[in-house]
Structures are given as C-alpha cells and as structure tokens.
Amino acid sequence: MNTSSTSPWSCGASHRSGPFPKRSLEIGAIVVAFVYWWPVAVAYVAWKIAGYPALSQMKEFANSGGFSFAGGSGRSRFARAFEAATGSSGTGATSGNWAFEEYRRAELERLEARRRALQEESRAFAEFVEELKRAKDREQFDAFMAKRRSEGGGPTINA
C-alpha cells in the first residue's frame, strides 16, 4: 500500500485549499498583508470565509443592504438617530404624533435659548477675567514703578 498518496501533504485532491505549499504561501501572504496593509487582509479573509463568491454576487449582496451598517443609506445609525431626535434630517421624518412634535419643538427651542444664554454668559465671564488680568497687571506694574522711584532707581543713561 502506498502511504504517500494518502498523506495530507501529497496532493490537493483531499483538501479544499489545495496542497501544502499553496496553503502555506496563502497563510504567509495573509500574515504579511496584516502587517503591511491590514484592510486587504481582512477583505481577503472575509472573501475566503464567504466561500469565494463571484464579484457579481458580492455586488448583489451589497446592493440588497445585507452588508450595509447604515441600513442601505450613506449615514451611520447614530447620524440617523440624531436626525430623527432633532427633526433635522430634511426628509420630514416625524413621529406621527402631533402633541409629541409640539413638545419636541418647544423643548428644542428652549434648549437653543438656553445655549444662547450660556454662550452670552461665557463671553461675559471671559471679558471679566480679561479685565481682572489687566487690573492685576496694572497693579503689579504700578507697584514696581513706585518701588523703583522710591529707591531712586530711575532710568539711568550712561553718557
């Protein structure tokens, strides 16, 4: 009995991925791809796990929305949820409840007014802090000049 034909390394007929040298080169290439440019390696591994689908099958799957994280649109789930909550999507997406829409509109207006008030307070505080800095600088400078005058250390000119 010839044991070389039953060896897993003898030929690719008994293995899906082919003979050993091809498989080892494939694994080595994946490792190198992960080191140098990981998106290619991830895409290859996903393609391999999917069973080597044809390009037309992948396009069909992507167009059906099966692989889309955003549910078939170009926006993320977070962006869609934010737009739905604020009503700023431009698509007129509403909850369908008039009372809730009025409440949401009033709350958003209140929050916007509060935001404007906080911005004004922040600006006023920044001006106050700047004025304090100027006053402190002026006080320190005046103290320095008074000390210098009392010591008789006016400007000296060497002629």
Side-chain angles (χ1 to χ4, degrees):
M1 180 170 165
N2 186 357
T3 59
S4 64
S5 64
T6 60
S7 168
W9 316 117
S10 62
C11 69
S14 62
H15 297 304
R16 178 175 178 227
S17 62
F20 175 73
K22 180 182 175 189
R23 184 169 178 91
S24 62
L25 290 175
E26 180 182 34
I27 291 171
I30 291 172
V31 169
V32 169
F34 268 112
V35 169
Y36 286 105
W37 203 28
W38 65 267
V40 171
V42 169
Y44 180 74
V45 169
W47 180 63
K48 188 173 174 79
I49 290 172
Y52 303 101
L55 187 60
S56 60
Q57 290 174 325
M58 290 189 296
K59 284 182 182 177
E60 181 181 318
F61 182 67
N63 290 338
S64 71
F67 193 65
S68 176
F69 291 111
S73 70
R75 296 181 324 272
S76 68
R77 286 190 330 228
F78 177 76
R80 287 194 325 269
F82 178 76
E83 289 171 353
T86 60
S88 62
S89 65
T91 61
T94 63
S95 67
N97 187 319
W98 180 84
F100 176 73
E101 294 300 322
E102 278 296 309
Y103 167 76
R104 181 169 63 179
R105 185 189 55 74
E107 285 297 304
L108 289 173
E109 287 173 2
R110 183 185 64 79
L111 289 172
E112 181 62 25
R114 183 67 181 144
R115 186 191 61 79
R116 285 191 304 268
L118 285 172
Q119 279 183 333
E120 178 61 29
E121 287 178 12
S122 177
R123 186 192 57 76
F125 181 71
E127 289 175 2
F128 173 74
V129 168
E130 187 63 32
E131 187 60 34
L132 283 178
K133 286 179 185 178
R134 285 188 195 128
K136 184 178 179 183
D137 288 347
R138 174 57 63 187
E139 183 181 311
Q140 288 175 344
F141 178 72
D142 289 343
F144 169 76
M145 291 304 289
K147 181 180 176 186
R148 202 163 151 92
R149 285 187 196 117
S150 68
E151 294 174 351
T156 58
I157 301 174
N158 294 334

